[in-house]
Each structure stands twice: as structure tokens, then as C-alpha cells.
């Protein structure tokens, strides 16, 4: 078989549907986030910083709920 015969046998790819296009954009770094949104200003916080932030927020929420209860 010649190369041009093989190419003739390959089915044409289906037109791209909106869901596939969206998933492809999410897979790439470009176009991530809201349309006019700028990337975050600095590097992502490390695990320790995230844990401290979560603990702080949980403490604030528990305090707020306890004040509402009492």
C-alpha cells in the first residue's frame, strides 16, 4: 500500500464540539481562569503556609459560630 492510499482510508476527524474545546483549553496553561483574569502575582504558597491559613480560617469560623450559638 502506498502512503496516499493509507491517507485516503483514514476517516476525517469529527468537528470539534464545544465541550472538547473547553477541556483542551483547561489542559493547557494558556486560557486558564476567567477570560481577562491575570495570573496570580507570585509563586503558590507552600504546604505549611496553606495549613496555617486553613487553621486560621477554621478558628475564625468556629469563633463566629460559637458567638452565634451563645
Amino acid at each position: 500500500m502506498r502512503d496516499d492510499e493509507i491517507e485516503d482510508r483514514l476517516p476525517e476527524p469529527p468537528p470539534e464540539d464545544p465541550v472538547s474545546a473547553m477541556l483542551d483549553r483547561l489542559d493547557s496553561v494558556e486560557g486558564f481562569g476567567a477570560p481577562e483574569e491575570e495570573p496570580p502575582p507570585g509563586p503558590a504558597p507552600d504546604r505549611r503556609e496553606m495549613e496555617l491559613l486553613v487553621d486560621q480560617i477554621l478558628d475564625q469560623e468556629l469563633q463566629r459560630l460559637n458567638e452565634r450559638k451563645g
Side-chain angles (χ1 to χ4, degrees):
M1 240 183 214
R2 296 187 332 231
D3 285 343
D4 58 341
E5 291 175 345
I6 292 173
E7 288 177 6
D8 290 341
R9 289 182 160 196
L10 293 175
E12 226 175 279
E16 194 168 304
D17 63 303
V19 173
S20 295
M22 179 189 68
L23 291 175
D24 289 341
R25 280 194 311 272
L26 289 176
D27 285 341
S28 71
V29 174
E30 295 176 17
F32 186 74
E36 305 301 321
E37 182 180 32
E38 293 183 25
D46 67 0
R47 184 180 178 109
R48 178 81 177 132
E49 290 174 316
M50 290 299 292
E51 288 176 354
L52 289 172
L53 183 60
V54 168
D55 287 343
Q56 178 186 358
I57 292 170
L58 288 175
D59 288 341
Q60 290 172 353
E61 285 300 307
L62 282 173
Q63 184 181 9
R64 186 181 65 82
L65 289 172
N66 285 334
E67 288 173 359
R68 253 177 80 184
K69 238 177 161 180

